[in-house]
Amino acid sequence: MSPVTDSAFLRAKQSLTVTIEFCNWLAAEHNTGMDQLTQAHIDLWQSTGPTTREHIARFIRWAIKSRLIPADLEVTPHRRGTAPRMPITEQNAVIEKVAHQQTLHPRDRLAAILVIVFAQRMEDVAVLTWDRVTITAEAATITLADTPIELPPPLDEPLRALAASNYNNQTAAHPNSPWIFRGYRPGMHLTPTHLRNHLRPVLASLEARLGTLNELTQTTPIAILAETLGYSPQTLEAHAKASASTYSRYIATRLD
């Protein structure tokens, strides 16, 4: 028998996690069981979340084989570069809203800013800790990869408000909690899915992040972006090509 590799184990674990999230989503948001599953449900699930949602494909194939769902249901495989990207005009509108909209919780405003301004993955946002934050009267900085980034006013306001409110820091559940986005279970941070769902009225996190990456890769050298935002240079090069622009083309245009 061939040994189970770490990568195979992680893929299986991810598939199981995504399948559980999918079933919970069907029940909680659509009051739907597997016997009522339609292609529209699958399409909506994929279009409103990260590309990892396609990992329900194995479960869907099993459900079809077990005759639990119709045989014509399918999961659309992800193809790099085909996901929708938020246009710059919509990005600016969202930034304006989350920077000034006081009715939004500071937690949601901060998460949205990290996605729409700094193109952060929600998986990375959820696990941010307070030791990566420095707040003084003059400046508020947050370290996303290896470089502290200063948040200029009014983008610093949600971070300052969240720090001052000691948000969700119940003594029993979160004694000296390191998490910026504290969850409701003792010692745990909020899940990426929870944050995405809270931000859905404001932005679609994947579409917003990809739109921001499109803009950033047109105007900033890949090496600087990679170091500052925590992306690999190869990933950013792919985004630059997808947006039909590289930094060298940008410089050439400016010099013409």
Side-chain angles (χ1 to χ4, degrees), residues 117-139:
V117 178
F118 301 106
Q120 291 298 289
R121 307 173 185 90
M122 201 62 80
E123 288 78 8
D124 296 327
V125 171
V127 298
L128 284 170
T129 51
W130 283 109
D131 62 0
R132 303 180 75 81
V133 171
T134 301
I135 298 178
T136 66
E138 294 75 27

Side-chain angles (χ1 to χ4, degrees), residues 138-151:
E138 294 75 27
T141 63
I142 185 167
T143 301
L144 299 178
D146 296 322
T147 306
I149 299 175
E150 182 176 339
L151 301 180

Side-chain angles (χ1 to χ4, degrees), residues 7 11 14 36 41 46 92 103 109 115-116 122 128 134 159 164 171 185 202 208 250:
S7 59
R11 284 196 300 271
Q14 187 175 44
Q36 300 171 305
H41 291 121
Q46 284 195 265
N92 291 337
T103 58
R109 293 172 64 199
V115 172
I116 195 69
M122 201 62 80
L128 284 170
T134 301
L159 181 60
T171 303
R185 294 173 57 193
V202 181
Y250 169 77

Side-chain angles (χ1 to χ4, degrees), residues 31 55 61 70 123 134 228 236:
N31 195 28
H55 289 301
R61 289 194 296 268
E123 288 78 8
T134 301
T228 304
L236 293 179

Side-chain angles (χ1 to χ4, degrees), residues 18 20 34 50 54 67 84 107 114 158 200 204 216 237:
V18 172
I20 292 172
M34 291 301 296
E54 71 179 57
R67 299 183 178 181
R107 174 202 64 194
L114 293 174
R200 191 168 293 161
L216 292 176
E237 287 285 1

Side-chain angles (χ1 to χ4, degrees), residues 95-112:
I95 292 172
E96 183 71 15
K97 181 174 183 178
V98 299
H100 298 287
Q101 179 57 269
Q102 299 298 323
T103 58
L104 293 173
H105 194 286
R107 174 202 64 194
D108 299 333
R109 293 172 64 199
L110 177 60

